[in-house]
Amino acid sequence: MKQRKRITIAVLGLGGQGGGVLANWIVQLGEMCGYIAQGTSVPGVAQRTGATVYYVEMIPAEETQTPVLALMPVPGDVDIVVASELMEAGRAILRGFVSTDTLLIGSTHRVYAISEKTAMGDGRASSERILTAAKDRARRFIGFDMEAAAQANGCVISSIMFGALAGSGGLPFPREAFETAIRAGGKAIDANLRGFAAGFDAAEGKSSSRDVFVEDRPEPTSEAGRALANRVEQRLPPEAHAFALEGVRRLIDYQDRAYAELYLDRLEALAGPGALLTEAARHLALWMSYEDTIRVAALKIRRTRFARVQEEVKAQDGQIVQLTEYLHPRLEEICETLPLSIGRRLLASKRAKRLFEPLFAKGRHVETTRLRWFLALYALAGWRRWRRGTLRYALEQARIEDWLALVRSAEPASALELVKCQRLIKGYGDTFERGLRNFDLVIDRYRQGGIDAATIARLREAALADEDGKALAAALAA
């Protein structure tokens, strides 16, 4: 670090993560320790999604002249960067805030952006690239999963970051001064001090900062589940067991035991090598649990969803949490939820489209914590018992059977690539239709003949490259 009296600190975080609280603690800390300190912020565009930069600059008060402090960090002139999420650390690096003179402190957990979630394929940005850049660009990098530490200690992530800042030794202040700043804040003191201690220990290497991934293998809890688990272990190759067991669990939850048995029937009928059945176990389960209006309604009103939201917003006992969802079912999705003959007739009727399409032209903000909307979604989720009679069920099962027949008739290498083409199909609404269109284009090209496994893989990756289908069109024309 440059030998100077002025200290510059940039805090990068997402709205709702307590970055403002952290910046205030740092300012109070500096002032208590005889520094002139100033904090500023440029907020993001939306609560809990907008990225925010908080900037603190401080200088000893003993200086003879009144200092003029900056309002924003300057690239190449930031002593300490604190990032509340891994991609925020990456953003700091891209903006030039991190240099070989910078101490970088960042959480290694991810909060996925909308663009990552809605990508055609796996749209996640590379965490490994950010971690490598953090280690290479910064003078020192302190990184661990601060979100997990916050959950484990029942506190907000800002107290973990403040503890990591103290434990890093990047500021010339004793630990007691940091704790005094937390107490001066007057809110959730015990929880914040607990989180501070956890962050301090992690920064000093007293607790593991490495991410540990443990395979969460589902364990059956009923006789039906145990029977299906035994079937998986007896009839499928060992390498396919993990995906197949998860597929069984998912499809029982999605529909019922008979649907899970149909899933295993289809897997066993493939009778291919272990690699093929492993991929098929994964992708077949995803396709068979397609997202119709019934599934979306069920997911929106789950007890576990409400519990997760309460945990995310740190709601205390007795606090009222209102949850508003954005739903936009189109006329097509509504018709596909109806019985086969009725839904097909309505979709084919121009008059019905003129009458009903305007009703579903716009999305709706639905408060699932209000009784009338909860009951409406509860009734729709209960339609699951009649799902097999819906138009959507008939359409999807026909598509799945056609896909599996194609896989069974292909040579092993091509069969594996055809199975992986299911990646193109995801979500619902426009996202689903776009993916299905690309899937059909790749499959139709295979049916025409003259392409091998490598070409199928190339076409699939082209389809995943962009939403407009330009890359796929170019690959098909090549």
Side-chain angles (χ1 to χ4, degrees):
M1 184 182 292
K2 299 174 183 177
Q3 296 300 316
R4 62 182 186 182
K5 295 181 178 181
R6 181 169 61 93
I7 301 173
T8 56
I9 306 169
V11 178
L12 285 81
L14 303 176
Q17 289 186 321
V21 173
L22 175 59
N24 288 337
W25 281 338
I26 297 173
V27 170
Q28 291 176 343
L29 172 68
E31 291 175 345
M32 287 188 300
C33 293
Y35 278 66
I36 297 173
Q38 174 182 279
T40 59
S41 67
V42 177
V45 296
Q47 176 72 3
R48 296 195 64 77
T49 55
T52 303
V53 176
Y54 303 90
Y55 180 61
V56 177
E57 191 167 311
M58 60 179 72
I59 194 167
E62 62 201 34
E63 296 295 314
T64 56
Q65 295 182 342
T66 302
V68 177
L69 303 179
L71 300 177
M72 281 293 291
V74 177
D77 189 42
V78 182
D79 298 317
I80 302 171
V81 169
V82 184
S84 66
E85 190 261 354
L86 186 58
M87 288 302 130
E88 290 304 303
R91 187 164 67 94
I93 294 171
L94 287 176
R95 297 186 66 171
F97 297 156
V98 178
S99 68
T100 53
D101 294 312
T102 304
L103 166 63
L104 175 59
I105 302 169
S107 179
T108 56
H109 82 284
R110 288 297 327 277
V111 177
Y112 295 109
I114 297 299
S115 59
E116 293 179 281
K117 296 177 180 178
T118 59
M120 295 294 295
D122 186 352
R124 295 174 297 176
S126 172
S127 298
E128 290 302 320
R129 290 181 61 186
I130 301 301
L131 290 171
T132 299
K135 295 171 184 176
D136 292 343
R137 303 286 184 87
R139 173 178 61 86
R140 181 185 174 201
F141 172 55
I142 297 175
F144 59 96
D145 191 336
M146 299 182 187
E147 179 65 21
Q151 292 178 359
N153 290 276
C155 63
V156 292
I157 194 172
S158 53
S159 62
I160 302 291
M161 293 190 288
F162 197 47
L165 176 60
S168 71
L171 292 177
F173 311 132
R175 174 172 178 164
E176 293 75 16
F178 286 84
E179 294 173 337
T180 300
I182 291 177
R183 293 189 179 94
K187 295 182 179 180
I189 296 175
D190 290 340
N192 286 329
L193 287 175
R194 190 165 58 247
F196 172 86
F200 190 97
D201 289 344
E204 286 197 330
K206 295 178 181 178
S207 62
S208 175
S209 62
R210 293 176 295 177
D211 295 322
V212 179
F213 299 95
V214 179
E215 182 181 5
D216 186 15
R217 178 167 171 163
E219 292 294 335
T221 58
S222 65
E223 286 298 326
R226 284 187 282 272
L228 292 173
N230 288 335
R231 179 177 171 181
V232 167
E233 292 173 355
Q234 292 173 8
R235 302 187 189 180
L236 295 177
E239 55 265 46
H241 288 175
F243 280 131
L245 288 171
E246 174 59 27
V248 166
R249 184 206 63 79
R250 183 184 182 99
L251 294 173
I252 290 177
D253 174 71
Y254 181 85
Q255 188 60 40
D256 52 29
R257 175 180 177 174
Y259 199 52
E261 290 175 339
L262 174 61
Y263 164 73
L264 293 181
D265 290 342
R266 286 168 165 169
L267 276 182
E268 292 167 12
L270 287 179
L276 174 66
L277 289 175
T278 299
E279 288 296 327
R282 172 189 176 191
H283 292 287
L284 179 58
L286 289 173
W287 199 337
M288 289 182 67
S289 57
Y290 57 88
E291 293 185 356
D292 56 5
T293 56
I294 301 170
R295 178 66 166 175
V296 172
L299 293 175
K300 295 298 185 184
I301 61 171
R302 286 200 167 181
R303 184 189 300 271
T304 53
R305 176 171 174 75
F306 292 127
R308 186 174 70 250
V309 171
Q310 286 185 310
E311 182 180 349
E312 288 178 354
V313 301
K314 309 299 181 184
Q316 303 298 315
D317 292 340
Q319 284 187 313
I320 297 175
V321 176
Q322 292 183 326
L323 180 58
T324 301
E325 305 279 4
Y326 179 77
L327 301 177
H328 187 188
R330 303 173 306 164
L331 179 61
E332 289 83 352
E333 278 85 58
I334 300 300
C335 290
E336 289 174 352
T337 308
L338 297 174
L340 174 61
S341 59
I342 298 174
R344 184 168 287 166
R345 193 178 308 121
L346 284 176
L347 277 180
S349 171
K350 294 182 180 179
R351 182 182 179 186
K353 284 190 174 183
R354 286 197 305 269
L355 286 174
F356 298 115
E357 213 161 33
L359 300 176
F360 304 99
K362 296 181 180 180
R364 290 171 173 79
H365 288 90
V366 175
E367 290 190 40
T368 52
T369 46
R370 287 188 177 273
L371 183 61
R372 74 183 183 96
W373 279 114
F374 179 88
L375 290 177
L377 292 177
Y378 181 82
L380 180 55
W383 194 257
R384 179 176 80 164
R385 69 192 70 177
W386 296 292
R387 178 184 269 133
R388 288 184 175 88
T390 64
L391 172 60
R392 180 69 185 276
Y393 183 88
L395 292 173
E396 293 307 325
Q397 301 311 312
R399 289 166 180 154
I400 291 170
E401 288 295 344
D402 182 66
W403 169 61
L404 291 175
L406 202 64
V407 171
R408 286 193 294 268
S409 65
E411 55 88 19
S414 294
L416 180 60
E417 297 303 330
L418 289 170
V419 165
K420 292 180 180 179
C421 283
Q422 192 277 332
R423 289 181 58 202
L424 301 175
I425 303 174
K426 62 184 290 188
Y428 57 94
D430 292 335
T431 301
F432 173 81
E433 287 194 354
R434 186 167 54 242
L436 181 62
R437 182 183 65 247
N438 289 341
F439 174 85
D440 288 338
L441 287 171
V442 175
I443 295 302
D444 288 345
R445 179 64 187 87
Y446 172 76
R447 291 184 194 276
Q448 293 171 18
I451 64 173
D452 57 10
T455 304
I456 298 172
R458 179 173 58 82
L459 293 176
R460 184 181 64 247
E461 295 307 313
L464 293 169
D466 63 76
E467 293 185 357
D468 297 329
K470 294 179 180 178
L472 177 58
L476 288 170

